[in-house]
Amino acid sequence: MIRSALTLLTLPVIGAAYSLETRSNEGTAAVTYADVTATSGLRFLHRNSATSSKYLIESATGGVALFDYDNDGWLDVFFVNGAKLKDPQPDAETPDKSSPEFWNRLFRNNHDGTFTDVTEKAGLQGRGYGMGVAAADYDNDGFTDLYVTNYGDSILYHNNGNGSFTDVTAKAKIKTDGWTTSAGFFDYDKDGYLDLFVCRYVQWSFAGNIFCGEKKPGGRAYCHPDNFKPISNYLFRNNGDGTFTDVSEPSRIKASEGKGLGVAFADFNNDGLLDISVANDSYQQFLFKNNGNGTFTEMGVIAGVGYTEDGKTFAGMGTDFVDIDDDGFPDIVTTALSNESYAFFRNNGDESFTYATLTSNLGEITRLFAGWGMRIFDYDNDGSKDLFLANGHVMDNIELTQPHLRYMQKPLLLKKAGKKFVDVSSTSGTVFNQVWASRGAAFGDLDNDGDIDIVVSNCNGPAYYIRNEGGNKNHWIGLDLRGIKSNRDGIGARITLTSESGKVQHNHVSTTASYLSANDRRVFFGLGEETKIKQIRIQWPRGIEQVISDLKPDQVVKAEERAEGKLKVSS
């Protein structure tokens, strides 16, 4: 391990909602989320083009990304939209995205709580029937790029650095077939360039659409995935010259067929290599262990994350792969369908996991919900990671056959209290009384005030921007990493924070989690009432280890990877 001092830049907090002078001493004050969609200008209406044919793609679309496309220090918002379908849709025809109501949309952050639609200038209207989005700087040029998944060909957009994007899919030699869903960038071979993992759902086509449900008025339903064959995922290796090579087969990713909807990356066994967790729908869950030689071993069953405690499959949709209990090993939380339970797999530290859904109360809380977008993060900055869950059933007519369930469902906010989760939704803002058909959700500090905000995309409905109110009453620290030898985004870097009291927290850099969505690249830690940070240790993907000592909280720190040199701090 190469060790060095760290060059860093402290960035002042610039959100209007926060000031050091007016900080409350009430570290335990209630934190709420407020629906500020109407005043923000984030006016996005997702269109799934629902038909009487009940095409399965209509039920699963709607990703969202939070990323800073223009490098002004503020997160912008990108939404993925569906496309117009005919009823019935000819199998040989591409879904129509020419009408503006079906465009994907990019909104620029105006730094004052509002956003401006810059889609046309950016050239991001899209094509095909949209699903999800991944965001990262794949060519290390300093600008965040986008990868948009579709039913059909997906699209790699290169950020030109002037407010516009160029479709470079063909040039980059990325070719996908079928139905792609969640995707993400990560450096699996540690060469300093971000590779691309792409999930595929099932072997489905318009021509192969079948009738499911009851043959009575309004009785037709979206088919269960059991009606369709599984399919393998893609892994594309970044060649470092703007092109990618499909290594799905030699990496052994192709050998495992599933029904992939969600994906997240973490180093689950602390061997310095990023591994892959894939949420499969009503199929065995996947855990791909990185062997360090260009290959992966699928070990979901062996590791104890393949099935529930009683050996059953569940409808894995959204997922996250983060150390929720701060023991140094990342855990997995994956959402499921109503009448199942969302899964919590706690990492035992020996390449095995324990199914902790029931002992953590997660099963009891989520039994009647169907979850999609989600995230493990510290919403109230008390130093303990929590859960947000965006919900909504797959079946838009579920009440006809199961009256105790609902298509439109409330979001959930779960606070971690010891080894259990507590549902704090009812005291966390009136937004948790709203009911949505949620799909994608993205997480990040949109107003730069030190707490995590959320944007939720809803299937065939309006998106919502829900702002964190009061999370910055507790102390916090944000880290904005920049790789030099490692990939420029620092994706895969592991961060360990030790407070003055000795409390230790762990996290890592990733934009990939949730469902069909991409999150803020920056890493935030809550500190509660602690006013001093003893040490922050950063382990970069290429092996350099750096330490920051005696850092003050309530700021975003920009840390640059350096192999040598003295500590430099400026603001």
Side-chain angles (χ1 to χ4, degrees), residues 467-513:
R467 188 176 62 205
N468 189 315
E469 303 286 346
N472 55 20
K473 291 180 180 178
N474 276 323
H475 294 288
W476 56 275
I477 191 78
L479 293 172
D480 182 1
L481 270 58
R482 289 296 181 189
I484 302 298
K485 291 184 64 179
S486 302
N487 66 86
R488 193 173 190 278
D489 283 347
I491 287 176
R494 292 185 291 167
I495 305 170
T496 303
L497 181 147
T498 305
S499 301
E500 189 69 18
S501 67
K503 178 181 174 63
V504 178
Q505 298 183 57
H506 301 271
N507 214 323
H508 65 281
V509 181
S510 180
T511 61
T512 306

Side-chain angles (χ1 to χ4, degrees), residues 133-156:
V133 57
D137 181 6
Y138 77 86
D139 57 353
N140 293 333
D141 68 349
F143 295 93
T144 303
D145 311 294
L146 290 178
Y147 180 75
V148 178
T149 61
N150 295 311
Y151 172 73
D153 287 341
S154 297
I155 311 169
L156 178 64

Side-chain angles (χ1 to χ4, degrees), residues 193-212:
Y193 289 93
L194 292 173
D195 311 298
L196 176 64
F197 186 91
V198 184
C199 291
R200 285 196 289 181
Y201 187 31
V202 292
Q203 296 184 44
W204 179 92
S205 67
F206 290 109
N209 196 55
I210 59 177
F211 186 97
C212 296

